[in-house]
Amino acid sequence: MTSSSSSSCPYLDTINRTLLDFDFEPSCSITLESSPHIYGCLVCGKFFRGKGKQTPAYTHSVEEGHCVYVHLTKGTFWCLPDGYEIDKTEPSLQDIRLALHPTFTKHQIQTLDTQKELVRDLFGRRYLPGYVGLNNLNKTDYLNCVVQALGHVRPLRDFFLLAPNDDNVTVGNNGAAASNDAAAAGSTNGKRKMTTPSSLSTTTIPYEEFSPIAKCFSLLLRNMWSPHRFKSNVDPHMLVQAVSVASNKRYHVGQQAEAGEFLSWLLHQLHVGVGGSVVRPSKKKKKKKNRKGGGSIVHETFMGNVEMTTVVTRRKRRGDQAALAMLNEGGRDAVTMHDNNNNNSEVAAFDEDDDDRAGSDDEDTMERKRQKREILKSLADETIIDEEETVTETQFLQLTLDIPEKPLFKDDDGGLVIPQEPLVNVLRKFDGVSFSDVLAMHQQTTESKEDGTIVSKKRRYKLKTLPNYLILHLSRFKRNGFFVEKNPTIVMFPVKNFDLSSYVFPEGGRKEVPTEDQVRAMSTKELKKLLVDYGRGDVANNAIEKNELLQHCLDFVSTSLPDLLADKYDLVANITHDIPAEVGREGTKHNPLEEGSYRCHVQHKATGQWYEMQDLEVTETMPQLIGVSESYLLIFERKGAVLRNT
């Protein structure tokens, strides 16, 4: 069948936009198969395979008289059964094109956080792009909250919003994305790329090679931030399906899961899905420093370094053989030891000429042998303590914090007395001094009947560098052989200016902010190095004269650099877990994880207003209520952090 191009179609007035929903997986409603050639009927909103004769789409157009279709992958419009493509420049179809495949320019992304105006959907409902509800597909609220939180981490959000526009997505040290048409400092072979300092390997991959999870995550974020939606909420159906397949139904519809574990799993999948490399740890027992993985936007945004000191203590009974060898090491020399009265007594070592026959010993010999047996028994029962200390440096994407145990006493109604704990007390695990030797954490004890060896392990953590976006996971759930328990302790934390400088121990000491005189005395090379070291390489390369470069450095040193070196953070997103009032009462048997629900708090940067999101509900809230909620996941942003595309 030949296809002819037509500038206009007489059936465009039959399109019913109120029935269109492109959030679902593109699969044929007749054959239930998924293929690259799925067409959506713009009259009834159903999906069909193919457009040739004997295909479900062609049959539907003949039987129902629905003539206008859109290719769900390519975004082209077709008229069936005539079989011609409708002109791409048709103005009446541009809103459908934007609703099907939302796209963003760099200028639009720069204005996302300053947008204050509400937009309307087809039904007249007003919504704020980026702050829309996500449909709960039966216990998928943990996924909705994690996506809402990650959707407001600006470097990660900007990367996935821009990724479909670029033929090649370049991931560098600061997570910057560069494309053929992107504004950058230099050009190579006609392709302009953003110049960025790189301590990790740089990966350039096309968007078509992204993993299914990365593509679905990008599409979901674009739908959340799109001002051209036909409805004011978003359905995460495609991402839920991709997650279920990739996790082998570990995270599946109808199964509640821990948001902290899912966030860790999702970040790894996104890292690998956009071209990041996977580095498996070495099998060597003593390893001073792990290798760094390949660069990706996930690692560049969330990865920090921590030094872990492991002290392994072995307590072992000396044993009869070792005690006998110790006594015989001196031959006929005396062996000195402390008796029960702490008095020194000298006893000769075993004499080869001693007569062991009955009745052949005098009183002195019998006393000497008795003391020998006591010494031998005392040495054999002595505990030998051997400590081995190993220091390793590794990377992390999130820090897991252990909350103090809940109290044992109940209130008058049989419920728990919920205590409160400041976040600074919970962070003592990473103060570089305290050891974690709780049995449930890292202590390993084994007993052997032969030698009575007891092995215990304790660890101490010292933060070396913190990322621009820090994820804190408050471990609230504990599993045993019978049920799941939740720790309801409220962890109080500041929403702004959270100072972590006392928990960071950088190598070589903390850097100081250079003075104005020191900056003015720098050469052009030193000025550029100052900007490049902190991710402002684009500003350094765009400066033409030294006076312009000097002014950029002075502004940077006086405004952004002090906050960067101070390790102060502001809250970006907060995920909480709530359980019904009757769960946890005395005499009731409930699973707090299965019967609870998740909520997410995010802030609108332009107005400073905080929003609470729980599935489809989006309401305003006060920051005072956020700090006293049962927080489960916290995402902080470093003050003065270098953002992409700024």
mmCIF file of all heavy atoms in Angstrom, residues 144-186:
data_model
loop_
_atom_site.group_PDB
_atom_site.id
_atom_site.type_symbol
_atom_site.label_atom_id
_atom_site.label_comp_id
_atom_site.label_asym_id
_atom_site.label_seq_id
_atom_site.Cartn_x
_atom_site.Cartn_y
_atom_site.Cartn_z
ATOM 1 N N ASN A 144 6.101 5.753 44.487
ATOM 2 C CA ASN A 144 5.670 7.117 44.205
ATOM 3 C C ASN A 144 6.472 8.129 45.018
ATOM 4 O O ASN A 144 6.907 9.158 44.484
ATOM 5 C CB ASN A 144 4.180 7.267 44.517
ATOM 6 C CG ASN A 144 3.311 6.442 43.598
ATOM 7 O OD1 ASN A 144 3.754 5.981 42.550
ATOM 8 N ND2 ASN A 144 2.065 6.238 43.977
ATOM 9 N N CYS A 145 6.693 7.850 46.292
ATOM 10 C CA CYS A 145 7.424 8.782 47.137
ATOM 11 C C CYS A 145 8.888 8.891 46.726
ATOM 12 O O CYS A 145 9.467 9.989 46.732
ATOM 13 C CB CYS A 145 7.310 8.359 48.597
ATOM 14 S SG CYS A 145 5.669 8.604 49.305
ATOM 15 N N VAL A 146 9.514 7.778 46.374
ATOM 16 C CA VAL A 146 10.913 7.817 45.940
ATOM 17 C C VAL A 146 11.049 8.609 44.646
ATOM 18 O O VAL A 146 11.972 9.431 44.487
ATOM 19 C CB VAL A 146 11.458 6.387 45.777
ATOM 20 C CG1 VAL A 146 12.801 6.392 45.061
ATOM 21 C CG2 VAL A 146 11.594 5.715 47.135
ATOM 22 N N VAL A 147 10.134 8.428 43.712
ATOM 23 C CA VAL A 147 10.182 9.179 42.454
ATOM 24 C C VAL A 147 9.935 10.660 42.709
ATOM 25 O O VAL A 147 10.601 11.526 42.113
ATOM 26 C CB VAL A 147 9.163 8.603 41.456
ATOM 27 C CG1 VAL A 147 9.054 9.492 40.228
ATOM 28 C CG2 VAL A 147 9.553 7.186 41.050
ATOM 29 N N GLN A 148 8.991 10.986 43.590
ATOM 30 C CA GLN A 148 8.732 12.389 43.907
ATOM 31 C C GLN A 148 9.975 13.035 44.510
ATOM 32 O O GLN A 148 10.322 14.187 44.183
ATOM 33 C CB GLN A 148 7.557 12.497 44.880
ATOM 34 C CG GLN A 148 6.212 12.094 44.306
ATOM 35 C CD GLN A 148 5.562 13.195 43.496
ATOM 36 O OE1 GLN A 148 6.226 14.139 43.062
ATOM 37 N NE2 GLN A 148 4.273 13.070 43.253
ATOM 38 N N ALA A 149 10.664 12.322 45.391
ATOM 39 C CA ALA A 149 11.857 12.881 46.026
ATOM 40 C C ALA A 149 12.987 13.059 45.017
ATOM 41 O O ALA A 149 13.626 14.123 44.953
ATOM 42 C CB ALA A 149 12.302 11.984 47.182
ATOM 43 N N LEU A 150 13.263 12.031 44.217
ATOM 44 C CA LEU A 150 14.339 12.135 43.222
ATOM 45 C C LEU A 150 13.988 13.150 42.142
ATOM 46 O O LEU A 150 14.892 13.746 41.540
ATOM 47 C CB LEU A 150 14.599 10.768 42.592
ATOM 48 C CG LEU A 150 15.165 9.681 43.515
ATOM 49 C CD1 LEU A 150 15.379 8.390 42.745
ATOM 50 C CD2 LEU A 150 16.472 10.130 44.144
ATOM 51 N N GLY A 151 12.718 13.348 41.869
ATOM 52 C CA GLY A 151 12.313 14.321 40.855
ATOM 53 C C GLY A 151 12.592 15.750 41.251
ATOM 54 O O GLY A 151 12.456 16.647 40.401
ATOM 55 N N HIS A 152 12.965 16.005 42.506
ATOM 56 C CA HIS A 152 13.308 17.354 42.939
ATOM 57 C C HIS A 152 14.780 17.493 43.301
ATOM 58 O O HIS A 152 15.182 18.495 43.897
ATOM 59 C CB HIS A 152 12.429 17.738 44.124
ATOM 60 C CG HIS A 152 10.992 17.967 43.750
ATOM 61 N ND1 HIS A 152 10.095 16.933 43.592
ATOM 62 C CD2 HIS A 152 10.308 19.094 43.458
ATOM 63 C CE1 HIS A 152 8.912 17.421 43.251
ATOM 64 N NE2 HIS A 152 9.012 18.716 43.160
ATOM 65 N N VAL A 153 15.580 16.506 42.961
ATOM 66 C CA VAL A 153 17.043 16.630 43.017
ATOM 67 C C VAL A 153 17.478 17.195 41.676
ATOM 68 O O VAL A 153 17.452 16.509 40.660
ATOM 69 C CB VAL A 153 17.703 15.264 43.298
ATOM 70 C CG1 VAL A 153 19.215 15.385 43.272
ATOM 71 C CG2 VAL A 153 17.241 14.725 44.643
ATOM 72 N N ARG A 154 17.858 18.457 41.659
ATOM 73 C CA ARG A 154 17.958 19.197 40.401
ATOM 74 C C ARG A 154 18.944 18.614 39.385
ATOM 75 O O ARG A 154 18.612 18.522 38.212
ATOM 76 C CB ARG A 154 18.260 20.668 40.705
ATOM 77 C CG ARG A 154 17.037 21.407 41.212
ATOM 78 C CD ARG A 154 17.328 22.860 41.474
ATOM 79 N NE ARG A 154 17.899 23.028 42.805
ATOM 80 C CZ ARG A 154 18.182 24.219 43.344
ATOM 81 N NH1 ARG A 154 17.946 25.322 42.658
ATOM 82 N NH2 ARG A 154 18.685 24.304 44.552
ATOM 83 N N PRO A 155 20.171 18.224 39.767
ATOM 84 C CA PRO A 155 21.056 17.649 38.735
ATOM 85 C C PRO A 155 20.482 16.382 38.107
ATOM 86 O O PRO A 155 20.561 16.194 36.896
ATOM 87 C CB PRO A 155 22.347 17.367 39.499
ATOM 88 C CG PRO A 155 22.309 18.265 40.672
ATOM 89 C CD PRO A 155 20.876 18.384 41.048
ATOM 90 N N LEU A 156 19.912 15.506 38.934
ATOM 91 C CA LEU A 156 19.326 14.273 38.415
ATOM 92 C C LEU A 156 18.110 14.578 37.547
ATOM 93 O O LEU A 156 17.928 13.994 36.472
ATOM 94 C CB LEU A 156 18.942 13.362 39.579
ATOM 95 C CG LEU A 156 18.523 11.938 39.222
ATOM 96 C CD1 LEU A 156 19.735 11.136 38.778
ATOM 97 C CD2 LEU A 156 17.858 11.258 40.415
ATOM 98 N N ARG A 157 17.260 15.490 38.008
ATOM 99 C CA ARG A 157 16.074 15.862 37.230
ATOM 100 C C ARG A 157 16.450 16.470 35.890
ATOM 101 O O ARG A 157 15.902 16.093 34.851
ATOM 102 C CB ARG A 157 15.246 16.862 38.047
ATOM 103 C CG ARG A 157 14.024 17.404 37.335
ATOM 104 C CD ARG A 157 13.568 18.699 37.955
ATOM 105 N NE ARG A 157 14.541 19.771 37.770
ATOM 106 C CZ ARG A 157 14.435 20.970 38.326
ATOM 107 N NH1 ARG A 157 13.429 21.238 39.134
ATOM 108 N NH2 ARG A 157 15.363 21.891 38.092
ATOM 109 N N ASP A 158 17.393 17.419 35.883
ATOM 110 C CA ASP A 158 17.769 18.086 34.637
ATOM 111 C C ASP A 158 18.367 17.113 33.640
ATOM 112 O O ASP A 158 18.142 17.222 32.430
ATOM 113 C CB ASP A 158 18.757 19.210 34.928
ATOM 114 C CG ASP A 158 18.145 20.294 35.804
ATOM 115 O OD1 ASP A 158 16.920 20.232 36.029
ATOM 116 O OD2 ASP A 158 18.886 21.178 36.267
ATOM 117 N N PHE A 159 19.143 16.146 34.149
ATOM 118 C CA PHE A 159 19.764 15.161 33.262
ATOM 119 C C PHE A 159 18.707 14.352 32.513
ATOM 120 O O PHE A 159 18.767 14.193 31.293
ATOM 121 C CB PHE A 159 20.668 14.240 34.074
ATOM 122 C CG PHE A 159 21.294 13.125 33.277
ATOM 123 C CD1 PHE A 159 22.469 13.321 32.587
ATOM 124 C CD2 PHE A 159 20.692 11.884 33.216
ATOM 125 C CE1 PHE A 159 23.045 12.298 31.852
ATOM 126 C CE2 PHE A 159 21.246 10.848 32.489
ATOM 127 C CZ PHE A 159 22.428 11.061 31.800
ATOM 128 N N PHE A 160 17.723 13.840 33.233
ATOM 129 C CA PHE A 160 16.720 12.988 32.599
ATOM 130 C C PHE A 160 15.702 13.801 31.799
ATOM 131 O O PHE A 160 15.085 13.264 30.880
ATOM 132 C CB PHE A 160 16.015 12.143 33.655
ATOM 133 C CG PHE A 160 16.821 10.968 34.113
ATOM 134 C CD1 PHE A 160 17.502 11.005 35.322
ATOM 135 C CD2 PHE A 160 16.928 9.824 33.338
ATOM 136 C CE1 PHE A 160 18.260 9.933 35.745
ATOM 137 C CE2 PHE A 160 17.681 8.742 33.751
ATOM 138 C CZ PHE A 160 18.350 8.791 34.958
ATOM 139 N N LEU A 161 15.507 15.073 32.121
ATOM 140 C CA LEU A 161 14.630 15.897 31.295
ATOM 141 C C LEU A 161 15.269 16.241 29.957
ATOM 142 O O LEU A 161 14.579 16.350 28.940
ATOM 143 C CB LEU A 161 14.263 17.186 32.040
ATOM 144 C CG LEU A 161 13.376 17.045 33.284
ATOM 145 C CD1 LEU A 161 13.041 18.419 33.847
ATOM 146 C CD2 LEU A 161 12.109 16.273 32.983
ATOM 147 N N LEU A 162 16.582 16.400 29.941
ATOM 148 C CA LEU A 162 17.286 16.765 28.710
ATOM 149 C C LEU A 162 17.734 15.568 27.890
ATOM 150 O O LEU A 162 18.030 15.720 26.705
ATOM 151 C CB LEU A 162 18.523 17.610 29.043
ATOM 152 C CG LEU A 162 18.302 19.096 29.334
ATOM 153 C CD1 LEU A 162 19.612 19.744 29.719
ATOM 154 C CD2 LEU A 162 17.687 19.790 28.139
ATOM 155 N N ALA A 163 17.790 14.390 28.503
ATOM 156 C CA ALA A 163 18.372 13.224 27.831
ATOM 157 C C ALA A 163 17.719 12.900 26.492
ATOM 158 O O ALA A 163 18.430 12.634 25.507
ATOM 159 C CB ALA A 163 18.315 12.011 28.754
ATOM 160 N N PRO A 164 16.384 12.897 26.337
ATOM 161 C CA PRO A 164 15.806 12.532 25.033
ATOM 162 C C PRO A 164 16.103 13.535 23.932
ATOM 163 O O PRO A 164 16.012 13.197 22.754
ATOM 164 C CB PRO A 164 14.292 12.481 25.326
ATOM 165 C CG PRO A 164 14.190 12.330 26.795
ATOM 166 C CD PRO A 164 15.352 13.070 27.354
ATOM 167 N N ASN A 165 16.491 14.765 24.271
ATOM 168 C CA ASN A 165 16.758 15.773 23.251
ATOM 169 C C ASN A 165 18.113 15.591 22.607
ATOM 170 O O ASN A 165 18.355 16.121 21.524
ATOM 171 C CB ASN A 165 16.691 17.175 23.856
ATOM 172 C CG ASN A 165 15.331 17.475 24.441
ATOM 173 O OD1 ASN A 165 14.406 16.697 24.293
ATOM 174 N ND2 ASN A 165 15.215 18.600 25.112
ATOM 175 N N ASP A 166 19.021 14.880 23.278
ATOM 176 C CA ASP A 166 20.403 14.799 22.826
ATOM 177 C C ASP A 166 20.672 13.471 22.146
ATOM 178 O O ASP A 166 20.239 12.421 22.603
ATOM 179 C CB ASP A 166 21.367 14.958 24.007
ATOM 180 C CG ASP A 166 21.135 16.269 24.739
ATOM 181 O OD1 ASP A 166 20.602 17.192 24.101
ATOM 182 O OD2 ASP A 166 21.474 16.358 25.931
ATOM 183 N N ASP A 167 21.428 13.555 21.047
ATOM 184 C CA ASP A 167 21.843 12.329 20.373
ATOM 185 C C ASP A 167 22.830 11.553 21.234
ATOM 186 O O ASP A 167 22.837 10.333 21.255
ATOM 187 C CB ASP A 167 22.478 12.654 19.021
ATOM 188 C CG ASP A 167 21.475 13.270 18.058
ATOM 189 O OD1 ASP A 167 20.267 12.983 18.219
ATOM 190 O OD2 ASP A 167 21.894 14.039 17.187
ATOM 191 N N ASN A 168 23.695 12.273 21.919
ATOM 192 C CA ASN A 168 24.648 11.629 22.821
ATOM 193 C C ASN A 168 24.601 12.346 24.151
ATOM 194 O O ASN A 168 24.648 13.571 24.205
ATOM 195 C CB ASN A 168 26.085 11.678 22.263
ATOM 196 C CG ASN A 168 26.233 10.818 21.030
ATOM 197 O OD1 ASN A 168 26.189 9.607 21.112
ATOM 198 N ND2 ASN A 168 26.400 11.453 19.881
ATOM 199 N N VAL A 169 24.520 11.593 25.219
ATOM 200 C CA VAL A 169 24.503 12.148 26.569
ATOM 201 C C VAL A 169 25.857 11.882 27.194
ATOM 202 O O VAL A 169 26.260 10.740 27.355
ATOM 203 C CB VAL A 169 23.383 11.514 27.416
ATOM 204 C CG1 VAL A 169 23.400 12.100 28.810
ATOM 205 C CG2 VAL A 169 22.039 11.770 26.760
ATOM 206 N N THR A 170 26.577 12.940 27.516
ATOM 207 C CA THR A 170 27.897 12.816 28.094
ATOM 208 C C THR A 170 27.813 13.019 29.590
ATOM 209 O O THR A 170 27.306 14.034 30.048
ATOM 210 C CB THR A 170 28.860 13.850 27.487
ATOM 211 O OG1 THR A 170 28.882 13.660 26.077
ATOM 212 C CG2 THR A 170 30.258 13.694 28.049
ATOM 213 N N VAL A 171 28.313 12.059 30.318
ATOM 214 C CA VAL A 171 28.292 12.129 31.770
ATOM 215 C C VAL A 171 29.704 12.395 32.246
ATOM 216 O O VAL A 171 30.594 11.588 32.037
ATOM 217 C CB VAL A 171 27.760 10.823 32.389
ATOM 218 C CG1 VAL A 171 27.679 10.953 33.887
ATOM 219 C CG2 VAL A 171 26.410 10.487 31.797
ATOM 220 N N GLY A 172 29.923 13.553 32.863
ATOM 221 C CA GLY A 172 31.237 13.918 33.347
ATOM 222 C C GLY A 172 31.286 13.952 34.853
ATOM 223 O O GLY A 172 30.422 13.445 35.546
ATOM 224 N N ASN A 173 32.301 14.624 35.384
ATOM 225 C CA ASN A 173 32.522 14.629 36.821
ATOM 226 C C ASN A 173 31.429 15.358 37.580
ATOM 227 O O ASN A 173 31.056 14.984 38.668
ATOM 228 C CB ASN A 173 33.879 15.275 37.121
ATOM 229 C CG ASN A 173 34.209 15.262 38.579
ATOM 230 O OD1 ASN A 173 34.046 14.249 39.221
ATOM 231 N ND2 ASN A 173 34.653 16.374 39.116
ATOM 232 N N ASN A 174 30.901 16.434 37.017
ATOM 233 C CA ASN A 174 29.866 17.168 37.723
ATOM 234 C C ASN A 174 28.486 16.821 37.239
ATOM 235 O O ASN A 174 27.521 17.523 37.488
ATOM 236 C CB ASN A 174 30.096 18.679 37.577
ATOM 237 C CG ASN A 174 29.985 19.139 36.129
ATOM 238 O OD1 ASN A 174 29.936 18.316 35.223
ATOM 239 N ND2 ASN A 174 29.946 20.433 35.920
ATOM 240 N N GLY A 175 28.346 15.700 36.502
ATOM 241 C CA GLY A 175 27.039 15.266 36.075
ATOM 242 C C GLY A 175 26.483 16.065 34.942
ATOM 243 O O GLY A 175 25.303 15.984 34.645
ATOM 244 N N ALA A 176 27.284 16.878 34.249
ATOM 245 C CA ALA A 176 26.756 17.713 33.186
ATOM 246 C C ALA A 176 26.443 16.884 31.973
ATOM 247 O O ALA A 176 27.123 15.933 31.635
ATOM 248 C CB ALA A 176 27.773 18.797 32.832
ATOM 249 N N ALA A 177 25.384 17.237 31.282
ATOM 250 C CA ALA A 177 24.983 16.562 30.064
ATOM 251 C C ALA A 177 25.301 17.462 28.895
ATOM 252 O O ALA A 177 24.947 18.632 28.869
ATOM 253 C CB ALA A 177 23.497 16.235 30.090
ATOM 254 N N ALA A 178 25.986 16.938 27.880
ATOM 255 C CA ALA A 178 26.340 17.725 26.717
ATOM 256 C C ALA A 178 25.815 17.054 25.473
ATOM 257 O O ALA A 178 25.723 15.848 25.386
ATOM 258 C CB ALA A 178 27.867 17.866 26.613
ATOM 259 N N SER A 179 25.431 17.812 24.487
ATOM 260 C CA SER A 179 24.896 17.278 23.248
ATOM 261 C C SER A 179 25.466 18.052 22.087
ATOM 262 O O SER A 179 26.195 19.023 22.243
ATOM 263 C CB SER A 179 23.371 17.364 23.241
ATOM 264 O OG SER A 179 22.980 18.712 23.274
ATOM 265 N N ASN A 180 25.110 17.614 20.883
ATOM 266 C CA ASN A 180 25.608 18.255 19.687
ATOM 267 C C ASN A 180 25.155 19.697 19.574
ATOM 268 O O ASN A 180 25.844 20.535 19.016
ATOM 269 C CB ASN A 180 25.142 17.474 18.451
ATOM 270 C CG ASN A 180 25.728 16.070 18.445
ATOM 271 O OD1 ASN A 180 26.624 15.764 19.218
ATOM 272 N ND2 ASN A 180 25.213 15.226 17.574
ATOM 273 N N ASP A 181 23.960 20.005 20.088
ATOM 274 C CA ASP A 181 23.444 21.355 19.983
ATOM 275 C C ASP A 181 23.511 22.107 21.299
ATOM 276 O O ASP A 181 22.929 23.175 21.442
ATOM 277 C CB ASP A 181 21.984 21.335 19.509
ATOM 278 C CG ASP A 181 21.095 20.538 20.442
ATOM 279 O OD1 ASP A 181 21.648 19.822 21.291
ATOM 280 O OD2 ASP A 181 19.862 20.635 20.309
ATOM 281 N N ALA A 182 24.222 21.552 22.295
ATOM 282 C CA ALA A 182 24.296 22.199 23.597
ATOM 283 C C ALA A 182 25.369 23.267 23.589
ATOM 284 O O ALA A 182 26.425 23.128 22.981
ATOM 285 C CB ALA A 182 24.603 21.166 24.684
ATOM 286 N N ALA A 183 25.111 24.340 24.309
ATOM 287 C CA ALA A 183 26.101 25.394 24.431
ATOM 288 C C ALA A 183 27.223 24.912 25.330
ATOM 289 O O ALA A 183 26.994 24.431 26.419
ATOM 290 C CB ALA A 183 25.465 26.649 25.015
ATOM 291 N N ALA A 184 28.472 25.045 24.863
ATOM 292 C CA ALA A 184 29.608 24.546 25.617
ATOM 293 C C ALA A 184 30.798 25.429 25.355
ATOM 294 O O ALA A 184 30.775 26.342 24.548
ATOM 295 C CB ALA A 184 29.904 23.094 25.235
ATOM 296 N N ALA A 185 31.877 25.101 26.029
ATOM 297 C CA ALA A 185 33.054 25.944 25.933
ATOM 298 C C ALA A 185 33.856 25.673 24.680
ATOM 299 O O ALA A 185 34.457 26.572 24.112
ATOM 300 C CB ALA A 185 33.925 25.740 27.164
ATOM 301 N N GLY A 186 33.926 24.456 24.238
ATOM 302 C CA GLY A 186 34.736 24.134 23.083
ATOM 303 C C GLY A 186 33.997 23.263 22.130
ATOM 304 O O GLY A 186 32.912 22.792 22.386
#
